[in-house]
Amino acid sequence: MSNEASPGAGTATSPEGIPAGAEPSNIASYIDHTLLKPEASAAEILKVCAEAAEYRFKSVCVNPVWVKTVKKALKGSGVLTCSVVGFPLGATPSDVKAFEARGAVLDGADEIDMVINIADARASDKGALVDDIKAVAEAVHGGEAILKVIIETALLDDDQKVLACEAAVEAGADFVKTSTGFNGGGATVEDVALMRRTVGPRIGVKASGGVRSLADAQAMIAAGATRIGASSGIAIVKGEQGSSAY
């Protein structure tokens, strides 16, 4: 399980209303600097790695084919390598997700963000969700990596979001995550707060999709997020407005 601090909704704030630990000087440490476009080139991937090392982001998150490249580029930087599994639809058999996760970890991924079987969540089939997540969790944890579970909040109602989060906890996930950024809406403060209430203080909550500014990121952290997935990380750190959909 993740040992990352996981404050709940209602995180303490400064007199200026900034969540504790989420001051502009520290916000980069929350951010998974992300490039998941299928057309991303090697040059673009290396640029993202250089940016992550410069700004001290928490990780670089890429598709599995780029894990070796990212791991090599980030060597000695202190920035983690993150990859995705069953992405972006989640409609892949669990054993295939586990195989993909195991390969990414062997290639150097420190963290894996998997997509659940969204149809199971919409059918309220908690047992199937637990089995799906647990298969990947065992593969990821066997390589001493961290598992984040994407529940794709835009496609679920609140009861289904709660069910998916409960399944992730039961299956041994280290984080729950709002969105892929590829299937409609992204993170909302309300969803992050709901997810934090559901999972409690012991595991992480990652807000991703549509987080484009420092204010956006701080609002997600105040609601209970301990990680931010964004391709607008530099804009966030600089206090500017990003334009990326993710």
Side-chain angles (χ1 to χ4, degrees), residues 55-77:
Y55 288 93
R56 306 294 298 166
F57 292 126
K58 183 69 174 183
S59 82
V60 168
C61 188
V62 295
N63 285 302
V65 70
W66 296 114
V67 169
K68 288 182 179 179
T69 300
V70 170
K71 190 71 172 183
K72 181 178 180 181
L74 294 175
K75 185 176 181 181
S77 70

Side-chain angles (χ1 to χ4, degrees), residues 94-111:
S94 300
D95 58 346
V96 176
K97 291 181 186 178
F99 179 84
E100 186 179 19
R102 192 174 294 110
V105 171
L106 286 171
D107 282 347
D110 303 294
E111 300 186 339

Side-chain angles (χ1 to χ4, degrees), residues 1 11 16 63 72 74 80 84 87 126 147 151 162 172 205:
M1 298 286 278
T11 298
E16 295 77 22
N63 285 302
K72 181 178 180 181
L74 294 175
L80 301 177
V84 292
F87 193 89
K126 185 177 180 182
L147 177 64
I151 69 169
V162 168
V205 174

Side-chain angles (χ1 to χ4, degrees), residues 1-2 9 22 41 67 77-78 92 103 121 154 193 196 228 238 244:
M1 298 286 278
S2 171
S41 67
V67 169
S77 70
T92 306
R196 171 55 66 202
I228 302 294
K238 290 184 173 181
S244 172

Side-chain angles (χ1 to χ4, degrees), residues 30-227:
Y30 285 84
I31 295 173
D32 289 345
H33 197 38
T34 302
L35 181 54
L36 292 167
K37 296 187 299 183
E39 72 273 22
S41 67
E44 290 172 318
I45 294 291
L46 292 173
K47 181 175 183 288
V48 165
C49 291
E51 291 168 349
E54 177 182 356
Y55 288 93
R56 306 294 298 166
F57 292 126
K58 183 69 174 183
S59 82
V60 168
C61 188
V62 295
N63 285 302
V65 70
W66 296 114
V67 169
K68 288 182 179 179
T69 300
V70 170
K71 190 71 172 183
K72 181 178 180 181
L74 294 175
K75 185 176 181 181
S77 70
V79 179
L80 301 177
T81 300
C82 176
S83 192
V84 292
V85 162
F87 193 89
L89 302 179
T92 306
S94 300
D95 58 346
V96 176
K97 291 181 186 178
F99 179 84
E100 186 179 19
R102 192 174 294 110
V105 171
L106 286 171
D107 282 347
D110 303 294
E111 300 186 339
I112 296 293
D113 292 15
M114 72 165 285
V115 187
I116 62 166
N117 185 322
I118 297 161
D120 286 339
R122 288 171 64 95
S124 299
D125 191 340
K126 185 177 180 182
L129 287 173
V130 171
D131 289 344
D132 184 46
I133 298 165
K134 185 177 290 186
V136 180
E138 289 174 353
V140 171
H141 293 155
E144 300 184 347
I146 292 296
L147 177 64
K148 310 191 201 89
V149 174
I150 306 170
I151 69 169
E152 202 66 287
T153 51
L155 301 181
L156 307 178
D157 64 28
D158 282 356
D159 288 342
Q160 293 162 351
K161 294 167 193 172
V162 168
L163 182 83
C165 287
E166 290 174 343
V169 173
E170 186 174 333
D174 303 292
F175 279 76
V176 289
K177 174 180 171 181
T178 59
S179 319
T180 62
F182 284 76
N183 287 308
T188 68
V189 166
E190 293 77 15
D191 282 341
V192 169
L194 176 64
M195 294 165 72
R196 171 55 66 202
R197 290 195 300 271
T198 302
V199 304
R202 297 186 62 184
I203 76 171
V205 174
K206 179 175 173 179
S208 63
V211 183
R212 301 186 184 96
S213 69
L214 177 60
D216 289 343
Q218 289 174 331
M220 298 300 173
I221 294 165
T226 50
R227 195 76 67 87

